[in-house]
Amino acid sequence: MSSDRPLALAGIRVLDLSRLTPGPYGSMLLGDMGADVIMVEEAGRPSGRRAGRKLQATVRGDDYSEEGRRQAAYYALGRNKRSIRINLKSAEGREVFYRLAANADVVLEGFRPGVTERLGVDYATLSARNPRLVYCSLSGYGQTGPYTQLVGHDINYVSIGGALGMIGRQGRPPAIPMNTIADYAGGGLMAAFAICVALLARRRTGRGQYIDLAMSDGVLSLLTGIGALHFSEGLELEPESHRMNGGEAYYNTYETADGKWISIGSVEPWFFARLCEILGRPAYAEVQYDAAKREEIKGYLRERFKTKTRAEWLALLQEEDVCVAPVYTLEEAFTDPHARARGMVAELPVAGIGMVRQVGVGPKLSETPGQVRGPAPLPGQHTNELLKECGYEPETIAAYRAQEVVA
Amino acid sequence: MPGEALGALEGIRVLDLSRLAPGPYGSMLLGDMGAEVILVEEAGRPSGRRAGRQRPDVRGDNETAEGRRRTAYNAFGRNKRSIRINLKSAEGRELFYRLVDEADVVLEGYRPGVSERLGVDYATLSARNPRLVYCSISGYGQDGPYRDMVGHDINYIAMAGALGMIGRKGTPPAIPVNVIADYAGGGLMAAFAITVALLAREETGRGQYVDMAMTEGVMSLITGLASTFFADGAVIAPEEHRLNGGWAYYNVYETADGKWLSIGSVEPWFFARLCEILGRPEYGVHQYSTDAALREEMAEHFRAQFKTKTRDAWFQTLFDEDICVAPVYSLSEAFADSHNRERGMVVELEAPGVGPVKQVGVAPKFSETPGRVRHTAPYPGQDTDAILASLGVEAPVIADLRAREVVA
């Protein structure tokens, strides 16, 4: 995918101290757009409760074995990045990090509030050395407020943000929308946006700043439209009670003859009228928003969609203006001809592994398009290179490695 | 909310041609950060199939108390100005071009091809203003086989593979409101892309075209899940994955009062502590067990245990124990919660002629150039005269343009 086109964020250097998903996704978005993203990873053995109790499902290749290399190749959140391993708990390690920060534009971290101070990599310390630094702390609940120290994951942030309670089918537990809303959208993507905003502000002010981004706040922001209805009309959304969560026939999912699902989003009356015509009940168009008819229309649509396979319905409906789409599995989504034609499956050659597929770049920029330039590094793959860039002599590097200051 | 600090995007002018939710949310994010956002709305009556068959929307006008109220609560319009122009008239288009000469960003959400028909496409506008960043938000993008297909959020998440993962066994896929495509993969991703293009312009001196397909925004938002699929071929069915309710340690549980509690004990140390608290420390080592019978036994125990206390009692207990826990809130609970309020996520502002109104606040908290809600949404055309005057159009000419419905 690489080309000779310039990259939008060329020359922007990001130090990424974050782990897990939200931060790495945010810095991946910046890296896709050309930023030089450096993952600052741990050196020395994990200590405390993390020692020896690794999470089961980690996609980060953490060693140089064949399986580790394969995992790294597929780990899209690490693509386009470099990796240095530093023991930030040692004075020398911290000094290495300070030298990196002196030449960086952005620091991104996702520790629990208070940890960066303990490690000496907090905003006050770093901005004193580099006032142009944009520093983004991405946390579950933010740096202030009663829940600042509460631990959590996506499921919890969407709970407390009021999103999860709206999602599901009647009589069943709320349905968990994977970790898209808090981790990816309200966390990583919102952080990438905020960082770019701060970089734009820096062009004018000459100074960086601190960004406190809570994923729980990000979730609430994504509910701005629904929140507006709540504040103005007192709207509460029980599952399946509203046009946006399965309460209406015209915006819903229907099972087809082959046990697959189809989605119908005929919000506009002219689209719904066309759908009703095709399904043989033009009269339903007149009662699209009639609450008394809702269950009857839903029942009819359920029956009708059961009479053909999903493919047959799509052949019939896709050429019509009715707002329809197949409910795809991941496999179907990433083999669909449109997704492939639009570059949403990036293929990159990885030495020793072969051709590796990853999700492509979402926004398509005409002059400085985002690129997938290379796979995730193995931990510490660029340690020597980066230390050299910071002016460290080979002997010092060797000594630091021996002392496990870096790895 | 310091009144003096300049917004981060002060001096950036955005012309927003978009309707509905995704574009307006994207430009709201830019406006919150200080950009000057001008809504370019229609003048003249709706024509064709849209005439007379309107469904209720949140955009109100200044003619009735209800219209004023709707406008005040319409958070998407906040911090913006509004001009109404009939783009189908040559004079209207010319006025729009003059606005473009002074603009940094144009955002539009028409079906592909419409902006060309209206003469407000990227090629036309960038010829006049090469520094312009032009973002088209659409369902499926400006090319490819589905380019002309109509759709809404539910369709984009279906096509992107997200919707099929969401739900409980034996139920239809559960619709995650319109958060993932409209707001996240659409509006927010567009706002991000626009800032990226503005940063690039600092180096290249030129604007560019951004083709933002909501379906692709959604695909980007499932990058991690897709990685696992590409690496291992793992296709995710509802309630079969650790992130969609397949495991006891990451799930929702009903409590004694019929409310729900979410547990996200991914880390083994959190899970071990949770099992201790629930009276079954021996489950701690079986967190990831693939033994179906044992998994069901654990889930059953969790379900029974959580039924013994109210949601809020559990939240308090587990909060103090350092467990990843949260109450599953209704909207009113979410916006009344002390933490969310203390974080400024509910803003109250005075709407002229309406009184105090509440809106969702600004998520990222900036130390030097904080985002702000400066004022409520404008009525359609509220700033038409002021904006035309700033272009040097004289008052008698404005009156004439109004009389001929070129502007309103």
Side-chain angles (χ1 to χ4, degrees):
Chain A
M1 300 252 314
S2 70
S3 75
D4 298 332
R5 318 282 285 281
L7 286 156
L9 301 182
I12 299 290
R13 178 176 280 193
V14 179
L15 300 183
D16 187 1
L17 287 161
S18 72
R19 313 271 184 266
L20 303 173
T21 296
Y25 177 62
S27 60
M28 180 203 87
L29 292 169
L30 300 171
D32 284 0
M33 292 300 173
D36 176 17
V37 180
I38 299 168
M39 302 164 70
V40 181
E41 309 196 71
E42 279 176 284
R45 317 233 158 273
S47 57
R49 62 187 179 184
R50 293 175 49 239
R53 297 183 91 176
K54 280 206 65 78
L55 303 190
Q56 181 213 37
T58 171
V59 285
R60 176 102 170 87
D62 55 1
D63 58 46
Y64 286 63
S65 68
E66 195 177 324
E67 179 53 22
R69 286 175 192 280
R70 203 181 77 88
Q71 280 181 19
Y74 281 97
Y75 178 67
L77 299 181
R79 69 198 190 189
N80 296 330
K81 299 181 183 177
R82 299 195 282 170
S83 166
I84 181 171
R85 292 181 64 198
I86 309 178
N87 181 356
L88 290 175
K89 289 173 184 155
S90 71
E92 297 92 337
R94 248 190 326 271
E95 190 52 40
V96 170
F97 183 76
Y98 292 156
R99 284 215 209 172
L100 282 169
N103 288 315
D105 299 282
V106 178
V107 167
L108 175 62
E109 66 92 5
F111 294 112
R112 209 197 285 212
V115 171
T116 56
E117 282 85 352
R118 217 157 61 225
L119 292 172
V121 297
D122 56 296
Y123 176 64
T125 304
L126 301 186
S127 70
R129 291 162 176 269
N130 177 1
R132 288 178 52 80
L133 195 67
V134 169
Y135 188 111
C136 180
S137 292
L138 179 55
S139 62
Y141 299 102
Q143 307 296 311
T144 61
Y147 305 157
T148 181
Q149 288 299 316
L150 180 58
V151 289
H153 281 292
D154 185 297
I155 190 173
N156 307 123
Y157 315 139
V158 294
S159 296
I160 221 148
L164 183 56
M166 299 187 280
I167 304 172
R169 294 291 180 175
Q170 266 171 29
R172 299 298 298 276
I176 307 163
M178 308 305 294
N179 59 338
T180 49
I181 298 178
D183 281 358
Y184 284 96
L189 174 56
M190 189 72 83
F193 165 66
I195 286 167
C196 288
V197 167
L199 289 171
L200 283 166
R202 189 179 72 169
R203 307 274 167 163
R204 200 185 62 240
T205 64
R207 293 182 56 85
Q209 59 183 310
Y210 181 71
I211 304 166
D212 167 12
L213 178 58
M215 284 181 260
S216 57
D217 291 349
V219 172
L220 286 165
S221 174
L222 291 165
L223 296 182
T224 297
I226 296 157
L229 291 175
H230 169 72
F231 290 129
S232 77
E233 323 293 336
L235 177 81
E236 291 283 5
L237 259 74
E238 301 288 324
E240 264 184 300
S241 70
H242 187 264
R243 66 186 180 88
M244 301 311 288
N245 70 359
E248 298 280 359
Y250 61 84
Y251 195 94
N252 224 318
T253 51
Y254 294 97
E255 196 171 11
T256 52
D258 49 351
K260 297 182 176 178
W261 295 85
I262 199 165
S263 69
I264 295 290
S266 297
V267 176
E268 290 78 359
W270 46 90
F271 294 150
F272 188 65
R274 184 69 194 118
L275 180 67
C276 294
E277 252 174 62
I278 297 167
L279 297 182
R281 283 290 166 88
Y284 280 152
E286 301 305 318
V287 288
Q288 177 175 7
Y289 308 116
D290 183 345
K293 289 282 184 185
R294 194 178 286 158
E295 291 310 313
E296 180 190 328
I297 306 176
K298 271 197 223 172
Y300 180 75
L301 264 61
R302 273 198 291 268
E303 289 303 307
R304 288 291 291 151
F305 279 111
K306 278 278 203 183
T307 63
K308 292 183 202 297
T309 64
R310 192 185 68 184
E312 288 168 340
W313 279 118
L314 290 171
L316 197 65
L317 296 175
Q318 236 162 355
E319 296 295 309
E320 301 278 352
D321 267 359
V322 294
C323 299
V324 62
V327 179
Y328 270 161
T329 63
L330 288 176
E331 180 163 26
E332 291 167 328
F334 289 102
T335 48
D336 181 87
H338 185 82
R340 299 196 76 102
R342 297 267 309 166
M344 285 315 292
V345 181
E347 288 191 316
L348 67 164
V350 180
I353 308 285
M355 208 51 114
V356 167
R357 288 183 294 162
Q358 290 184 6
V359 177
V361 179
K364 310 286 191 286
L365 277 64
S366 64
E367 304 302 313
T368 60
Q371 295 172 2
V372 183
R373 301 179 298 282
L378 288 157
Q381 186 175 327
H382 304 94
T383 298
N384 282 13
E385 170 183 318
L386 285 161
L387 289 171
K388 260 181 238 153
E389 281 179 29
C390 287
Y392 286 97
E393 301 295 336
E395 307 78 60
T396 317
I397 297 173
Y400 279 3
R401 278 189 178 278
Q403 300 157 30
E404 293 198 337
V405 168
V406 300
Chain B
M1 289 200 199
E4 303 305 315
L6 285 174
L9 301 181
E10 205 88 29
I12 299 290
R13 179 180 277 194
V14 180
L15 301 180
D16 186 2
L17 288 162
S18 72
R19 314 270 184 267
L20 303 174
Y25 177 62
S27 61
M28 180 202 86
L29 292 169
L30 299 171
D32 284 359
M33 293 299 170
E36 183 195 351
V37 181
I38 298 176
L39 297 170
V40 180
E41 310 195 72
E42 280 177 281
R45 315 233 159 276
S47 58
R49 62 187 179 185
R50 290 173 51 238
R53 291 187 94 174
Q54 276 294 356
R55 72 192 164 86
D57 71 10
V58 287
R59 192 95 178 91
D61 58 33
N62 194 13
E63 282 153 33
T64 63
E66 176 54 20
R68 284 189 286 276
R69 210 178 69 82
R70 285 222 306 262
T71 300
Y73 281 99
N74 175 10
F76 293 141
R78 70 196 191 191
N79 295 331
K80 300 180 183 176
R81 302 204 289 160
S82 167
I83 182 171
R84 291 180 65 197
I85 307 180
N86 182 356
L87 292 174
K88 289 174 184 155
S89 72
E91 285 168 290
R93 241 185 338 263
E94 187 53 37
L95 290 169
F96 181 73
Y97 293 156
R98 286 169 67 183
L99 283 172
V100 167
D101 293 341
E102 309 287 318
D104 300 282
V105 178
V106 166
L107 176 62
E108 64 93 3
Y110 296 114
R111 211 198 282 211
V114 171
S115 62
E116 281 86 352
R117 214 157 63 226
L118 291 171
V120 297
D121 55 295
Y122 176 63
T124 305
L125 303 188
S126 69
R128 296 182 64 105
N129 177 359
R131 288 179 52 81
L132 193 69
V133 170
Y134 187 112
C135 179
S136 295
I137 301 185
S138 63
Y140 300 103
Q142 305 296 312
D143 55 29
Y146 304 154
R147 168 189 197 261
D148 295 319
M149 212 161 82
V150 289
H152 280 292
D153 186 300
I154 191 174
N155 307 124
Y156 312 141
I157 59 176
M159 191 77 92
L163 181 56
M165 299 188 280
I166 304 172
R168 295 288 178 177
K169 276 199 177 109
T171 73
I175 306 163
V177 208
N178 61 334
V179 173
I180 300 178
D182 280 357
Y183 295 115
L188 175 54
M189 191 71 85
F192 163 66
I194 286 167
T195 58
V196 167
L198 288 170
L199 285 165
R201 188 179 73 168
E202 300 285 337
E203 302 302 324
T204 65
R206 292 183 56 85
Q208 59 183 309
Y209 182 70
V210 181
D211 172 7
M212 184 70 246
M214 286 180 262
T215 306
E216 292 163 13
V218 176
M219 293 179 104
S220 178
L221 292 168
I222 57 171
T223 295
L225 303 164
S227 286
T228 315
F229 162 69
F230 287 130
D232 303 324
V235 166
I236 297 168
E239 262 184 305
E240 284 185 0
H241 189 267
R242 64 188 180 91
L243 290 171
N244 69 4
W247 298 80
Y249 66 86
Y250 195 93
N251 222 324
V252 288
Y253 294 96
E254 198 170 10
T255 52
D257 49 353
K259 298 183 175 179
W260 295 87
L261 188 76
S262 68
I263 295 289
S265 294
V266 176
E267 291 78 359
W269 47 92
F270 291 146
F271 186 71
R273 182 71 194 116
L274 179 66
C275 293
E276 265 174 49
I277 295 164
L278 297 182
R280 285 282 165 52
E282 64 273 24
Y283 285 158
V285 294
H286 297 303
Q287 177 172 13
Y288 311 119
S289 172
T290 50
D291 176 343
L294 176 60
R295 274 169 65 179
E296 184 45 36
E297 180 193 318
M298 285 166 42
E300 191 47 50
H301 178 73
F302 276 37
R303 281 195 290 267
Q305 281 296 301
F306 282 113
K307 278 277 201 182
T308 62
K309 284 203 246 180
T310 63
R311 184 193 67 183
D312 295 344
W314 274 120
F315 180 46
Q316 194 52 58
T317 302
L318 298 176
F319 187 143
D320 295 338
E321 289 285 353
D322 211 23
I323 298 293
C324 299
V325 63
V328 178
Y329 273 159
S330 66
L331 285 175
S332 55
E333 290 172 323
F335 291 116
D337 179 85
S338 60
H339 183 84
N340 292 336
R341 296 194 83 100
E342 199 167 306
R343 297 275 306 166
M345 288 313 293
V346 179
V347 294
E348 262 194 61
L349 66 163
E350 189 64 26
V354 177
V357 298
K358 286 181 194 157
Q359 291 183 5
V360 176
V362 180
K365 311 290 191 281
F366 283 55
S367 63
E368 305 301 316
T369 60
R372 277 186 294 155
V373 183
R374 300 181 299 278
H375 60 78
T376 52
Y379 303 111
Q382 182 175 315
D383 307 290
T384 298
D385 287 359
I387 292 168
L388 291 176
S390 76
L391 293 177
V393 183
E394 308 279 353
V397 180
I398 296 175
D400 176 57
L401 291 168
R402 275 188 181 279
R404 290 183 293 113
E405 293 198 337
V406 172
V407 302

